[in-house]
């Protein structure tokens, strides 16, 4: 939000602590720009990121003259955020108030209000080894979740060697997409969980593993809500991200629902789930002892694979099932992004295609993605998909971008076309629409720092057309948010 200066003027607002939370596209743009320039070595497609590894890279730049104008400005903004969000042995206080008219149901990487009105206060502290954050949000008229008081964003954490162990409810975004993630996004509220995450991406020292390059990994053990078809089911997720070259990043991702009321919960069940011995009819697996419902897949982002122009190609494929030890019934996400300078403004644009239909590339299977015959609430948490916000059986195209024209100001926009729930048969579990609809959506937002804090305003329009009856509906939306650190 600040520009080249290494202090935030007049205010830096963000989530302080040991992690960089998802939700801020401008900060992600700056960090990705520096990663593609070779300044930041840590993998960038599994959020939250570790401030420790990022700050080590930012402070370790030996020759700033080797950076171009856009990279130098991005480094200034990133260092300003780093200094504002990583003080040691200080209590940081934050406040936020937001109002919205019809909060968006299609959420992207940008964090926006979930209810018609919300107020948030937070306090956090980071020491040399321990960190803690208490965040309380009051939300009025959330169209999806009626919980009026939430502790989302709260955690306690301890560093043990090169690992951070934490308990809390933190947002996560796994994958290279800007419009969504097939396996774990911020569409749903954060799942309360115990997590273990690598702090610094130091490469392996063994000669036969050096090719992996810098790598990070995280493991999540979460608890889903009680108001489900299988109450109190547990959530497990694991990801491994590595960079064999500075421009190539690869991610391996898994997520699963298991245990819960009336389901097997022993260590043997979890072991079967972990090694993939969970297909009904194989090895004595029945509906009674089936370990859980799993998703798994692969993410790839490749910057400038041909030539040296500023662009990147990325993809994410996620399987709803397993066959022969590999993910099957794949969902797909594919994108291209480009960045550069427009006058003195730094910008990034992307185009992203998503298909959340099982086996989308050959023989589409509808009413399959994010569903389970046992966990009949599906791959969802508190009324929203844990994966992509377009939900199951959607095919969408999004074109989006952001511009940072000067210190403390940002503009963002997204144009989206999608066919929702296109399988035809009504679905009672689809959290966007029970029947097939065509969506055209546009989002615009602006953010700027002021002497009173950070102000953000956004507006959008949704046009929905019923694919069967032809009836249509157009809704306008808007939100206003104020944030400040104390």
């Amino acid at each position: 939000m600040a520009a080249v200066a290494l202090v935030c003027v007049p205010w830096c607002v963000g989530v302080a602590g040991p992690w960089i939370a998802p939700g801020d596209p401008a900060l992600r743009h700056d960090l990705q720009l520096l990663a593609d320039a070779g300044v930041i070595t840590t993998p960038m497609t599994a959020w939250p990121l570790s401030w420790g590894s990022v700050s080590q890279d930012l402070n370790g730049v030996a020759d700033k003259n080797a950076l171009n104008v856009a990279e130098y400005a991005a480094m200034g903004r990133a260092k300003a955020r780093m200094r504002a969000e990583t003080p040691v042995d200080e209590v940081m206080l934050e406040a936020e108030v937001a109002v919205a008219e019809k909060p968006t149901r299609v959420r992207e990487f940008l964090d926006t209000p979930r209810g018609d009105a919300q107020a948030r206060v937070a306090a956090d502290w980071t020491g040399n080894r321990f960190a803690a954050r208490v965040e309380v949000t009051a939300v009025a008229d959330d169209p999806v979740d009626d919980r009026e008081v939430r502790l989302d964003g709260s955690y306690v954490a301890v560093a043990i060697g090169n690992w951070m162990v934490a308990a809390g409810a933190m947002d996560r975004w796994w994958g290279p997409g800007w419009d969504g993630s097939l396996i774990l996004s911020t569409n749903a509220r954060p799942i309360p969980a115990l997590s273990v995450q690598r702090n610094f991406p130091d490469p392996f020292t063994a000669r036969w593993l050096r090719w992996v390059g810098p790598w990070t990994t995280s493991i999540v053990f979460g608890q889903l809500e009680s108001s489900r078809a299988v109450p109190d089911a547990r959530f497990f997720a694991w990801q491994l991200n590595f960079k064999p070259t500075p421009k190539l990043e690869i991610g391996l991702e898994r997520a699963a629902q298991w245990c819960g009321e009336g389901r097997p919960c022993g260590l043997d069940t979890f072991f079967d789930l972990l090694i993939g011995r969970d297909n009904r009819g194989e090895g004595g697996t029945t509906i009674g002892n089936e370990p859980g419902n799993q998703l798994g897949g692969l993410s790839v982002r490749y910057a400038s694979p041909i030539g040296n122009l500023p662009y990147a190609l990325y993809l994410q494929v996620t399987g709803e099932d397993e066959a022969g030890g590999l993910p099957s019934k794949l969902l797909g996400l594919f994108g291209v992004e480009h960045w550069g300078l427009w006058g003195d403004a730094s910008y990034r644009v992307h185009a992203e295609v998503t298909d959340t239909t099982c086996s989308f590339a050959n023989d589409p299977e509808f009413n399959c993605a994010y569903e389970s015959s046992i966990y009949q609430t599906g791959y969802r948490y508190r009324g929203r998909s844990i994966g992509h916000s377009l939900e199951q059986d959607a095919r969408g195209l999004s074109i989006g971008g952001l511009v940072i024209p000067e210190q403390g100001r940002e503009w963002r926009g997204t144009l989206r076309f999608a066919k929702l729930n296109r399988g035809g048969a009504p679905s009672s579990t689809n959290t966007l629409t029970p029947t097939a609809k065509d969506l055209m959506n546009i989002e615009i937002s602006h953010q700027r720092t002021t002497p009173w804090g950070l102000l953000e305003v956004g507006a959008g329009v949704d046009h929905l057309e019923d694919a069967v009856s032809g009836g249509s509906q157009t809704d306008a939306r808007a939100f206003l948010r104020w944030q400040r650190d104390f």
Side-chain angles (χ1 to χ4, degrees), residues 153-465:
S154 302
Y155 61 79
V156 292
V158 58
I160 303 175
N162 192 26
W163 300 90
M164 185 68 79
V165 180
M170 296 183 291
D171 277 320
R172 292 180 170 84
W173 182 284
W174 290 358
W178 288 83
D179 200 53
S181 167
L182 296 175
I183 196 165
L184 187 54
S185 74
T186 56
N187 180 55
R189 287 177 51 202
I191 298 169
L194 175 68
S195 64
V196 181
Q197 180 172 334
R198 199 167 190 246
N199 277 327
F200 295 90
D202 303 335
F204 290 105
T205 56
R207 182 182 306 173
W208 60 282
L209 282 175
R210 288 177 189 168
W211 66 271
V212 171
W215 64 278
T216 60
T217 190
S218 59
I219 302 172
V220 179
F221 293 91
Q223 180 69 60
L224 300 177
E225 73 273 39
S226 58
S227 55
R228 304 176 60 86
V230 177
D232 301 317
R234 294 176 188 169
F235 178 76
F236 167 75
W238 167 82
Q239 64 82 21
L240 170 68
N241 279 50
F242 57 98
K243 297 179 72 172
T245 75
K247 295 184 180 295
L248 175 63
E249 180 172 342
I250 299 171
L252 306 176
E253 304 141 355
R254 286 181 68 182
Q257 296 162 293
W258 71 293
C259 193
E261 187 175 304
R263 301 299 306 168
C265 295
L267 288 178
D268 56 341
T269 299
F270 180 73
F271 180 75
D272 288 342
L273 179 138
L274 198 62
I275 65 174
R277 191 164 60 197
D278 61 350
N279 282 342
R280 202 176 302 171
E282 297 180 3
T285 301
T286 66
I287 191 171
N289 63 13
E290 184 175 346
N293 173 47
Q294 293 204 60
L295 291 86
L298 168 76
S299 294
V300 178
R301 184 184 184 275
Y302 200 170
S304 308
I306 301 176
N308 293 313
L309 295 176
Y311 76 100
L313 305 177
Y314 60 86
L315 65 85
Q316 184 179 39
V317 288
T318 299
E320 255 288 356
D321 206 346
E322 175 267 335
L326 295 174
S328 65
K329 298 184 179 181
L330 298 179
L331 325 179
L333 180 154
F334 308 90
V336 58
E337 55 186 306
H338 163 69
W339 57 91
L341 282 176
W342 181 19
D344 293 331
S346 183
Y347 72 87
R348 184 178 298 264
V349 294
H350 72 266
E352 191 168 305
V353 176
T354 304
D355 198 319
T356 59
T357 309
C358 289
S359 306
F360 73 96
N362 41 45
D363 187 16
E365 182 180 342
F366 298 112
N367 297 313
C368 159
Y370 304 146
E371 298 292 359
S372 168
S373 59
I374 295 175
Y375 297 92
Q376 296 182 12
T377 305
Y379 190 68
R380 302 173 178 93
Y381 178 65
R382 297 200 178 279
R384 287 183 180 271
S385 164
I386 298 171
H388 205 287
S389 67
L390 290 181
E391 260 281 0
Q392 63 177 186
D393 297 340
R395 177 177 290 168
L397 165 67
S398 68
I399 302 170
L402 62 87
V403 178
I404 307 175
E406 58 183 279
Q407 181 172 317
R409 298 190 181 185
E410 305 165 16
W411 289 91
R412 300 176 291 250
T414 302
L415 176 64
R416 186 182 293 109
F417 303 91
K419 291 185 176 294
L420 305 177
N421 198 13
R422 62 191 184 93
S427 170
S428 60
T429 54
N430 191 301
T431 59
L432 279 185
T433 172
T435 58
K437 291 184 180 179
D438 295 335
L439 168 70
M440 184 184 74
N441 160 261
I442 186 168
E443 310 273 358
I444 299 174
S445 62
H446 174 59
Q447 181 176 283
R448 64 170 60 196
T449 54
T450 75
W452 309 279
L454 184 72
L455 288 178
E456 185 175 13
V457 60
V461 175
D462 291 341
H463 179 76
L464 283 165
E465 185 171 319

